[in-house]
Amino acid sequence: MLRCSEPGCQFATQHRHHFHYHMKGHTGEKQYTCSKCNYKCLTRSMLVSHEKCHSYVYRYRCSSCKFSAKHAHALTVHIEKWNH
């Protein structure tokens, strides 16, 4: 198990790459920058997710109503909330 040594941080993981990204968060190292705003992040996947906020594309649609979302998680929350 890999554990963070920063004071007050309880982060622990078995995955080396998760630990690596976590430690970058403590150092402030954020190499990915949004081209449309001043958002910075640790990973390319985080940037891709963020960039959806600048888009007008709503890929995820509820089959039971007119709800649509940019992120799959938002659709999942909607379905669970409304029991669709």
Side-chain angles (χ1 to χ4, degrees), residues 50-67:
H50 162 78
E51 287 174 336
K52 289 179 183 179
C53 78
H54 298 295
S55 168
Y56 296 102
V57 177
Y58 293 78
R59 292 181 44 201
Y60 305 96
R61 302 185 185 284
C62 180
S63 60
S64 300
C65 72
K66 294 183 179 184
F67 178 83

Side-chain angles (χ1 to χ4, degrees), residues 3-68:
R3 297 183 189 283
C4 182
S5 60
E6 289 290 318
C9 185
Q10 301 295 316
F11 181 82
T13 182
Q14 294 180 353
H15 305 284
R16 187 170 300 279
H17 65 283
H18 290 179
F19 185 73
H20 177 71
Y21 291 140
H22 172 80
M23 295 309 292
K24 280 186 173 184
H26 284 300
T27 63
E29 181 184 337
K30 296 179 179 179
Q31 67 187 45
Y32 294 93
T33 304
C34 180
S35 62
K36 296 181 178 163
C37 71
N38 60 1
Y39 176 81
K40 294 182 179 186
C41 58
L42 299 172
T43 67
R44 173 97 177 104
S45 63
M46 291 169 73
L47 180 60
V48 168
S49 180
H50 162 78
E51 287 174 336
K52 289 179 183 179
C53 78
H54 298 295
S55 168
Y56 296 102
V57 177
Y58 293 78
R59 292 181 44 201
Y60 305 96
R61 302 185 185 284
C62 180
S63 60
S64 300
C65 72
K66 294 183 179 184
F67 178 83
S68 61

